[in-house]
Amino acid sequence: MVHSEYPGQTPDIVLFDLFGVIACHQSEEGRDRLVRVADAPAPAFWKAYWDLRPDYDRGDVDGPGYWDRMGRALGARFDDRRVADLVEADIASWSAVDAAMVSLVAELADAGRTVALLSNIPEELAAHYEAEHPWFGRFRVRGLSCRIGHAKPEEGAYLWCRDALGADAERILFVDDREDNIRAAEGVGMRGHVFTSRDLLAEVLAA
């Protein structure tokens, strides 16, 4: 869905979320593998994983630091080998992409549309995407939380992208699969589209 109309300029810049829009959320297989590598009860593991994730996404702590905190939260101590395995399993769990959405990004860029990215993503995962996915280079601006010091839905994440693009907020259409992130973008003057499918987004962009 597209949220209510805004007065002023028609949005001509598309600011994409990554996970849940272009890349896939964690698979069940990937989630199960993480729990096995950690050798921890799943409920406790996932509570600690998400409670501690904002600092990791924001770049306040690196991968080893995050997994050290995870171990302490779980009453365990992860040695260097276990930490390396957990970092690798975590990256793998977030690595699947939607080929149709990658194609849409390329189509927009080839047509001269400005495309940008705003993602909550830790450094190790960001480096993986930059190394393994050439289409990452199609984004004029990449607002990666681990490097900009702000994570959605913090206002600073959207303002950083606006300033990096050098554009008025009303020129930017933010595409995300989470309602709270869309509302935060609208709070700084951007338009928002709650992503549900490529076809619906393509219709919105064509209009």
Side-chain angles (χ1 to χ4, degrees):
M1 62 176 287
V2 181
H3 281 212
S4 57
E5 294 294 327
Y6 289 76
Q9 302 179 61
T10 299
D12 59 328
I13 299 169
V14 187
L15 177 62
F16 286 95
D17 172 37
L18 181 58
F19 301 106
V21 177
I22 303 170
C24 303
H25 287 301
Q26 286 175 309
S27 66
E28 284 303 313
E29 179 182 357
R31 287 168 57 87
D32 289 345
R33 180 185 173 198
L34 273 167
V35 171
R36 288 197 307 272
V37 174
D39 192 23
F45 176 89
W46 291 113
K47 183 180 187 308
Y49 184 93
W50 292 115
D51 284 352
L52 298 172
R53 198 73 176 187
D55 284 351
Y56 188 26
D57 283 342
R58 203 181 294 111
D60 295 338
V61 62
D62 62 7
Y66 171 72
W67 289 107
D68 178 67
R69 291 184 182 184
M70 281 287 296
R72 286 189 276 116
L74 294 168
R77 184 183 181 281
F78 298 143
D79 61 20
D80 291 347
R81 179 67 264 168
R82 180 79 64 91
V83 166
D85 289 344
L86 285 163
V87 169
E88 192 277 327
D90 194 40
I91 290 171
S93 75
W94 292 103
S95 293
V97 301
D98 183 338
M101 284 301 298
V102 171
S103 176
L104 179 60
V105 169
E107 290 171 16
L108 292 170
D110 288 343
R113 198 82 173 259
T114 297
V115 293
L117 185 71
L118 174 59
S119 176
N120 287 358
I121 187 170
E123 178 60 38
E124 287 82 358
L125 191 52
H128 167 81
Y129 269 87
E130 289 172 330
E132 300 297 328
H133 296 284
W135 51 267
F136 234 54
R138 305 306 297 268
F139 297 110
R140 182 175 299 180
V141 163
R142 294 193 293 271
L144 307 180
S145 61
C146 58
R147 298 176 186 169
I148 67 175
H150 302 284
K152 297 175 297 178
E154 296 167 1
E155 181 180 86
Y158 307 94
L159 296 178
W160 186 95
C161 289
R162 181 201 64 186
D163 294 345
L165 286 161
D168 293 337
E170 64 187 12
R171 290 181 54 199
I172 302 169
L173 176 68
F174 178 58
V175 180
D176 195 291
D177 64 325
R178 290 178 54 114
E179 181 80 24
D180 58 337
N181 291 336
I182 293 294
R183 290 191 182 279
E186 292 174 338
V188 302
M190 295 179 183
R191 287 195 62 184
H193 173 76
V194 180
F195 180 81
T196 56
S197 73
R198 181 199 190 279
D199 289 346
L200 182 56
L201 175 59
E203 289 179 13
V204 169
L205 294 175

